[in-house]
Amino acid sequence: MLDRNIRGIGIALCLLTLMLSLSGCGSLKDDTLLIANAVITEIDTGKQTITVKDDADESTLGEECLIDCPSVPMVYCDFATQKVTRISFEDLQVNDRVIVSIRSSEMENFRSGGNEEEMLEVEQLQLYTQRPAE
């Protein structure tokens, strides 16, 4: 009987500790995925970065936004065949239209100047400019 009471107290203390630690975290902020249409204005092959600006009728990225590409998944969708393929940094060209996926928290950090490197971290880049079929 005493053994059961001690075990019950131990479980209650563990649950109380867990509840207190979780309540200290506060609410988690909604971190949605944003989509922005952009045009590549510069490509730095040495640093593997691209500079993009807002595509027409957009006001998300501004006139100059730097994106570090080595860890960004890149895809291309052929509209005629609906085939999606992975592409590499070498497939990108100046004046290509791209669609970038960005976390809202990253966008807020970028806009507020909290990003010292002034690079926007994107989740994915999709080449929107259509290429001739090979």
Side-chain angles (χ1 to χ4, degrees), residues 45 52 80 88-89 92 98:
T45 54
V52 298
S88 66
F89 180 78
L92 302 176
V98 293

Side-chain angles (χ1 to χ4, degrees), residues 6-22:
I6 291 175
R7 194 172 338 151
I9 291 172
I11 291 172
L13 285 173
C14 285
L15 289 174
L16 181 63
T17 304
L18 178 65
M19 300 247 315
L20 287 174
S21 66
L22 288 177

Side-chain angles (χ1 to χ4, degrees), residues 80-97:
T81 64
Q82 298 297 309
K83 184 178 177 188
V84 176
T85 55
R86 291 189 66 96
I87 60 170
S88 66
F89 180 78
E90 291 75 24
D91 295 315
L92 302 176
Q93 300 171 11
V94 171
N95 293 323
D96 274 344
R97 286 182 156 61

Side-chain angles (χ1 to χ4, degrees), residues 29-99:
K29 193 174 183 180
D30 181 31
D31 199 13
T32 56
L33 200 58
L34 305 173
I35 305 297
N37 296 323
V39 177
I40 298 174
T41 57
E42 276 182 59
I43 297 177
D44 185 334
T45 54
K47 294 180 181 178
Q48 287 212 325
T49 60
I50 59 173
T51 304
V52 298
K53 69 175 184 173
D54 283 321
D55 199 358
D57 301 327
E58 289 278 327
S59 61
T60 308
L61 304 172
E63 284 299 310
E64 190 171 288
C65 180
L66 193 62
I67 298 174
D68 193 26
C69 293
S71 61
V72 176
M74 296 182 201
V75 294
Y76 168 71
C77 178
D78 185 331
F79 294 160
T81 64
Q82 298 297 309
K83 184 178 177 188
V84 176
T85 55
R86 291 189 66 96
I87 60 170
S88 66
F89 180 78
E90 291 75 24
D91 295 315
L92 302 176
Q93 300 171 11
V94 171
N95 293 323
D96 274 344
R97 286 182 156 61
V98 293
I99 301 170

